[in-house]
Amino acid sequence: MTGDPQALLEQALDHHHAGRLAAAAAGYEKVTALAPDHVHAYSLLGLALEGLGRLEDSAAALRRALALRPDMPELLLALGDLYRKQKKLGDAETCLRRCLALDPGAAEALCSLGMVVEARGDPAGAADLYEQALAADPGYAPAHNRLGCSLADRGETDTAIAAFRRALEIDPDLVTAHINLGEALSKRGRHEDAQACLQRAIALEPDDPEIYGDLYLALMRRGDHAGALAVCESVLRAYPGDVDTLAFKGVVLHEMGRSDEARVLFDCARFLSPRLIEAPPGYSDLDAFNAALRAHVVDHPTLVKSASVNATRFGGHTGDLLSEPKGPVADFERVVAAAVRGYIAALGDDPGHPFVASRPARWRLNVWAVVMGEKGHQVSHTHPSAWLSGVYYASAPDDIRADDPGFAGWIEFGRPDDEIAIAREPLVERIRPQEGLLVFFPAYFYHNTVPYGGAGTRISVAFDIVPD
């Protein structure tokens, strides 16, 4: 390949600044082909690839830049942040601590490390890091914002509100601070003020459907069901398969007494798919496969006590199980992929239903595991980045019984998050976990597990089908 690396870099930067990320990435790749030691091109390539959602490729580019310049705090910060977004918390912490060893007063790195520590289940440690970030740079608005989140999680709502307001005094355009302030004010019953905050966030980021989600939640708390439904419909016109909006729309319809319409969305008979799998090739039977999966999960280096950022309570949560070495997860991956293809084929054509109409032509798999013992459960949640989700039970204690009137340990579909104020009993379906049971469900189905009081260990392997 011929050309001037500097001229190619400038062209790629023009594309990057204009938001043409694919063209920018292609340009940076040309630069690195001509100049394999061009650190800046590799770092910019990493940023462009991240913007395109190609996180593994982004990490590879940043690692290449870091191999050339291991003493650059900026690269360690960028790679640490990327690992955090991928939930590779151990790798993220390693990078960020290396960054801080080189630049101890880096407020951005301290704040990012705080988010990693918080995700690992240490909110007090996270708050301390946010305070350190603010000591290093009192004008760093994101640290005020993150400190507010930490305070809100600990129930210190009024102090959190003050932190969010301070963040916005410094940076009036910090969208996440407007959102967080709106949520905190809504919890205090100040629904009109909350709505104003969220509308300001929408004005700043009109193309982010998650912000609209906070707005229709605030309207719901005000008792304005019609207004909440109108926002849902507006979001779905722009983003027809948006997971959280579909979930919320079903709840609002049911609350308004339009339960038949809600059942069209939460059609458990049509979209829930439980099935017992057969042992993959290479295993003597299903018990042998489950034993291999259980051993892989409990020894996995990413298994940590779950934090409030995850749905799991009184249990452990792994990171990405598709990272090498995959072990038996490689066989699980093949089983799930084949089952997904069958599920999609069985849906048929229904352009009028938002779930069926939004099925992806191409998709990728995300896999993680949850280990729970006594009192272990998951609070109600959806999977916003996915189209279809599922769970496989590698271990299900015998005392999760079919005749239990309280359904302890069962997975429950249809009950919304506790933060959503509902007056009517929701439309609920439950499935009892069994070893070898694979369950598919639309990613927008609210799901939780009923707390389990037995002494056994419940190990599930969860996964998302993410549009690619």
Side-chain angles (χ1 to χ4, degrees):
M1 181 180 293
T2 59
D4 178 2
Q6 185 58 36
L8 290 168
L9 182 67
E10 290 174 3
Q11 290 172 9
L13 280 168
D14 287 341
H15 287 305
H16 205 151
H17 293 151
R20 298 186 293 270
L21 297 182
Y28 298 138
E29 285 171 340
K30 290 178 182 177
V31 176
T32 59
L34 289 168
D37 59 350
H38 203 305
V39 174
H40 192 42
Y42 277 114
S43 65
L44 290 169
L45 175 60
L47 295 177
L49 292 170
E50 180 182 351
L52 291 167
R54 293 168 55 185
L55 301 188
E56 290 295 341
D57 292 336
S58 173
L62 292 172
R63 285 194 295 268
R64 177 62 180 149
L66 197 56
L68 293 166
R69 284 291 306 275
D71 59 341
M72 280 188 69
E74 298 89 341
L75 290 174
L76 288 161
L77 173 60
L79 185 57
D81 266 339
L82 183 59
Y83 282 143
R84 177 179 57 79
K85 292 169 186 173
Q86 292 179 290
K87 298 184 180 179
K88 296 180 178 179
L89 301 181
D91 291 334
E93 185 167 352
T94 297
C95 286
L96 293 168
R97 290 199 183 280
R98 283 178 58 196
C99 173
L100 289 165
L102 294 167
D103 186 2
E108 189 174 352
L110 286 163
C111 189
S112 187
L113 181 58
M115 286 188 273
V116 172
V117 169
E118 192 168 353
R120 299 193 81 162
D122 183 6
D128 181 62
L129 285 160
Y130 301 142
E131 296 280 12
Q132 289 181 48
L134 292 172
D137 182 359
Y140 187 52
H144 287 284
N145 181 46
R146 290 307 312 175
L147 180 60
C149 292
S150 180
L151 293 164
D153 286 342
R154 301 205 304 262
E156 300 178 39
T157 307
D158 292 334
T159 314
I161 288 172
F164 297 137
R165 290 196 187 284
R166 178 60 183 139
L168 290 170
E169 287 173 6
I170 297 167
D171 183 358
D173 293 339
L174 185 58
V175 173
T176 53
H178 284 289
I179 296 168
N180 292 330
L181 178 58
E183 289 179 350
L185 291 170
S186 183
K187 288 179 181 177
R188 276 284 179 260
R190 297 169 58 182
H191 302 303
E192 290 187 14
D193 292 338
Q195 186 173 340
C197 289
L198 296 168
Q199 287 172 332
R200 175 58 181 157
I202 288 169
L204 292 167
E205 290 283 353
D207 297 327
D208 186 348
E210 290 186 24
I211 307 176
Y212 292 88
D214 292 303
L215 177 58
Y216 50 64
L217 180 57
L219 290 166
M220 182 85 161
R221 286 172 173 157
R222 287 183 66 180
D224 185 359
H225 296 93
L229 181 61
V231 175
C232 288
E233 298 286 14
S234 174
V235 174
L236 290 171
R237 282 192 292 272
Y239 307 93
D242 185 68
V243 165
D244 282 339
T245 306
L246 287 174
F248 197 86
K249 179 182 177 181
V251 172
V252 174
L253 287 170
H254 184 57
E255 285 291 291
M256 296 174 75
R258 296 162 62 177
S259 300
D260 288 344
E261 294 173 71
R263 287 189 181 93
V264 172
L265 286 175
F266 297 149
D267 192 339
C268 292
R270 182 180 183 188
F271 298 131
L272 272 185
S273 177
R275 65 190 75 184
L276 289 168
I277 73 164
E278 297 180 354
Y283 298 88
S284 58
D285 55 25
L286 192 56
D287 286 342
F289 174 62
N290 286 332
L293 263 185
R294 291 193 295 266
H296 187 77
V297 168
V298 298
D299 290 335
H300 204 271
T302 65
L303 179 62
V304 295
K305 178 182 176 182
S306 291
S308 59
V309 293
N310 292 318
T312 304
R313 303 292 181 267
F314 300 102
H317 200 287
T318 74
D320 178 20
L321 291 184
L322 293 180
S323 298
E324 296 292 351
K326 295 181 184 179
V329 177
D331 301 300
F332 177 77
E333 183 180 13
R334 285 187 283 271
V335 169
V336 171
V340 169
R341 290 191 289 270
Y343 181 96
I344 291 174
L347 282 177
D349 291 324
D350 186 355
H353 196 286
F355 174 63
V356 182
S358 61
R359 60 185 174 188
R362 296 176 57 192
W363 47 269
R364 55 186 168 83
L365 193 63
N366 287 343
V367 182
W368 66 98
V370 176
V371 180
M372 293 190 294
E374 185 177 2
K375 297 194 293 185
H377 65 283
Q378 287 196 312
V379 297
S380 186
H381 61 291
T382 62
H383 293 185
S385 64
W387 171 73
L388 181 70
S389 297
V391 60
Y392 175 76
Y393 296 100
S395 175
D398 293 337
D399 54 359
I400 298 180
R401 304 191 325 271
D403 61 349
D404 181 358
F407 306 101
W410 289 41
I411 186 169
E412 184 177 65
F413 297 93
R415 190 175 302 281
D417 187 304
D418 287 342
E419 291 190 354
I420 300 175
I422 58 172
R424 297 166 61 94
E425 177 63 20
L427 305 171
V428 168
E429 184 76 20
R430 303 178 185 91
I431 293 176
R432 182 174 69 91
Q434 305 172 60
E435 289 186 13
L437 183 68
L438 179 71
V439 183
F440 287 124
F441 54 90
Y444 67 86
F445 273 29
Y446 286 110
H447 57 287
N448 62 281
T449 51
V450 181
Y452 163 67
T457 300
R458 182 177 179 274
I459 298 177
S460 57
V461 181
F463 53 90
D464 279 340
I465 306 307
V466 181
D468 193 359

